[in-house]
Amino acid sequence: TGSGTEGSSHFLQEGQVLDHHASCTSLYKKPFVESFEETPLLVAVLTYMGYGILTIFGYLRDFLRDWKFEKCHLAREREEQKDFVPLYQDFENFYTRNLYMRIRDNWNRPICSVPGAKMDLLERVTPDYNWTFEHTGNVLKDVINMGSYNYLGFAENTGTCADAASECTVKYGVGVSSTRQEIGNLDKHEELEILVARFLGVESSMAFGMGFATNSMNIPALTGKGCLILSDELNHASLVLGARLSGSTIRVFKHNNMQSLEKLLRDAIVHGQPRTHRPWKKILILVEGIYSMEGSIVRLPEVIALKKKYKAYLYLDEAHSIGALGPRGRGVVDYFGLDPSDVDIMMGTFTKSFGAAGGYIGGKKELIDYLRLHSHSTVYATSMSPPIIQQIITSMKCIMGEDGSTLGQERLCQLSENTTYFRRRLHEMGFIIYGNNDSPVVPLMLYMPAKIGAFGREMLKRNIGTVVVGFPATPIIESRARFCVSAAHTREMLDKALNAISEVGDLLQLKYSRKNRHGNEGSDSFSFLESHQD
C-alpha cells in the first residue's frame, strides 16, 4: 500500500510540473532560451585555492606593514586621534589592499575620445604596484570598445544627435541651476516627457537627471513601513538601495525563478506582516529587463501573470533593455509583445541606448503626478541639462522613425545581428558564456582571480578594450569579462575582437565549456539550456 501511494504521489508531482511547464510555455510567443553552464568542479576548486593563497599573502603583507617592513599607502588615523573611535576600518579594506590593488590597472583607464565603437586611451604606468599611476603622454589609438553600453551607437560626436545637442547648447546653455519645481522647468523637459510616454505606450512619464537616483530616490516615495518588496537576488545596487531607504520589509527571490517568487507571494498573502499578521499595505515586485552582470532577460510574461494572480504591483527597471530589445526598440515589454499597462512602474535610463544621461519613470498619470510632488529626485535635484535632453529627443525620434529616415530601424537590426553572431562565435570557440541568446550583454567566465587582471591586460595589448569583473560585484568563484555588443560595431571589428579573445583564451586556458562545439553532429551550435528547466 505504501509503495502504491508513493507512486501516485510521484505521478501527481510530475503532472503538476508538466502542467506548470505547459502553462509557462503558453505565455511565450517565441522560444526563450538562456545558458548558465555549471562551473567545472576542478575550476571551482582551483579558484577557491587561488583566493585562499591571496588571502594568506594578504595577512602576511599586513603583518609586514604593521611592523614597518612594507610601506602602507592607505589612509590611516593620525597620531593625535589614536584614542578616537577608528574612522577607517582596516579589516573592511583588506580586499581592496591585498587583492583589488594587484589588478587595479584594469579599471578607471582614462579615455580621451568619444567612447564609440573605437576609442583612444591615455597610456599610464605605475611605479608602486598600482597604488598610484602616472601618464606617459602617449595615446593608444583606435582601441575597439567592447565595454561601453553604447548599444545603438548613439555615443558619437558627429551626426544629427550631436548637431542638435550643439544647437540646443547655444540656445539654452549647459546648466539650468534650479530644480523642476522652482525655475528649472524648461519647455524641453516637458517635450521630452511627452515623447517618452508615447515611446513607452503609457499615459505619462517624468525624467530625472541621474539613472541611479531614479531608482534609489523614487522607490522610497512609492513604498514605506508596512509594505513588502520582493526583489530579485541579482537586482542592481540602485534598486537595492532604494528598497532599503524605503523602510519596507524586503524579501529576496532566486534569480528569474518564478517558483521562488510565487512562494514568497503566497506566503505574504497567507501570513501577512510579522507578529501582527495584518495584510501588507502594498506588495511591490522589483525586477530588471536585462541583468547587466548575467546577460539574462527577465521572464516578464510569467512575472506579470503572478502579479495579476496575487494582486501585487510590478516595478520594471529597463536600464539595459530599453532601446536594445524588441522589434521597435521599446525594451523587454516590446520584446515579449506585452501590454505596457500591465507594468505598473516602468523605469529606464537614457545612459545606454540613447548615449545621454539620466533616467525616467513611466506609468499612469496618477502615479506620475504623485511622484512629481513626493520624489526627492524632483524636489531637491537640479533639472536635467538641455543638451542632454536634446540628445535623448533626437535619438528617440530616430529609433521611432520620426526623423524621416530608417536609421533607427537599421541600428536595431544591426544590434540584433551583431549579438547573435558574437554569442555564436564565442560558444563555438568553447568559452562558457552566460545569459540569453538575444541579450547584447555577454558575460564570458574567467573564474580564477589571477586571470581577471591577465585577461584585461592581454586584450589591451591586442588593442581591445574590455571590462573585467570580480568579487564583490559577482560571486567569488564567478569572475568574468563582460562584453557589450553595439550596433556601431562592424563585422570586421567583431572578428578582430573575437580572434583576440580566442588567442587570449588559449593563452590563459579559458575555454572551459564541456558542451558540444562547432562541427559536432546532433547538437545545435548554441545548445543552450531551456529557460523553463530549474
Side-chain angles (χ1 to χ4, degrees), residues 395-517:
S395 57
M396 193 173 286
K397 285 184 175 179
C398 180
I399 296 169
M400 296 169 78
E402 294 184 4
D403 63 339
S405 75
T406 59
L407 180 63
Q409 193 59 42
E410 287 169 8
R411 292 194 183 197
L412 291 170
C413 293
Q414 188 64 52
L415 175 62
S416 178
E417 289 175 16
N418 286 353
T419 298
T420 303
Y421 176 73
F422 193 73
R423 280 184 167 272
R424 177 173 59 79
R425 286 287 307 278
L426 286 177
H427 183 79
E428 288 170 358
M429 290 173 187
F431 293 103
I432 293 180
I433 55 172
Y434 275 7
N436 193 286
N437 186 11
D438 295 324
S439 168
V441 178
V442 187
L444 183 151
M445 304 311 293
L446 303 175
Y447 298 113
M448 300 179 198
K451 294 185 180 182
I452 302 171
F455 186 85
R457 292 174 193 132
E458 289 297 327
M459 290 297 289
L460 189 60
K461 284 180 187 176
R462 292 158 177 79
N463 230 38
I464 313 292
T466 59
V467 171
V468 287
V469 191
F471 180 81
T474 67
I476 197 162
I477 64 163
E478 292 187 8
S479 301
R480 63 199 66 179
R482 184 186 62 182
F483 301 103
C484 292
V485 182
S486 170
H489 289 138
T490 63
R491 185 59 61 91
E492 182 187 1
M493 290 179 196
L494 292 179
D495 283 338
K496 183 179 177 183
L498 286 162
N499 291 336
I501 294 166
S502 182
E503 189 179 323
V504 175
D506 290 330
L507 179 68
L508 302 180
Q509 298 183 346
L510 296 172
K511 297 179 179 179
Y512 301 115
S513 181
R514 292 168 294 182
K515 294 183 182 179
N516 291 333
R517 298 188 188 179

Side-chain angles (χ1 to χ4, degrees), residues 254-313:
K254 293 177 184 175
H255 175 56
N256 242 352
N257 188 314
M258 296 303 107
Q259 286 76 27
S260 175
L261 174 58
E262 184 166 18
K263 184 180 183 302
L264 290 179
L265 282 165
R266 192 187 298 116
D267 289 347
I269 300 296
V270 171
H271 300 297
Q273 298 183 41
R275 293 190 298 277
T276 64
H277 299 294
R278 291 176 180 171
W280 295 99
K281 294 178 183 176
K282 233 181 273 181
I283 299 176
L284 182 66
I285 302 169
L286 298 183
V287 293
E288 294 185 45
I290 292 178
Y291 290 85
S292 60
M293 283 297 168
E294 306 301 309
S296 55
I297 297 175
V298 66
R299 295 180 183 178
L300 193 59
E302 294 176 67
V303 175
I304 288 175
L306 288 175
K307 166 230 163 186
K308 289 180 176 178
K309 181 178 178 181
Y310 292 98
K311 306 292 189 292
Y313 293 99

Side-chain angles (χ1 to χ4, degrees), residues 7-19:
S8 63
S9 171
H10 169 75
F11 283 121
L12 177 63
Q13 289 174 359
E14 191 177 74
Q16 288 172 340
V17 170
L18 288 172
D19 287 344

Side-chain angles (χ1 to χ4, degrees), residues 347-358:
M347 177 271 172
T349 63
F350 302 120
T351 52
K352 282 91 177 172
S353 295
F354 303 98

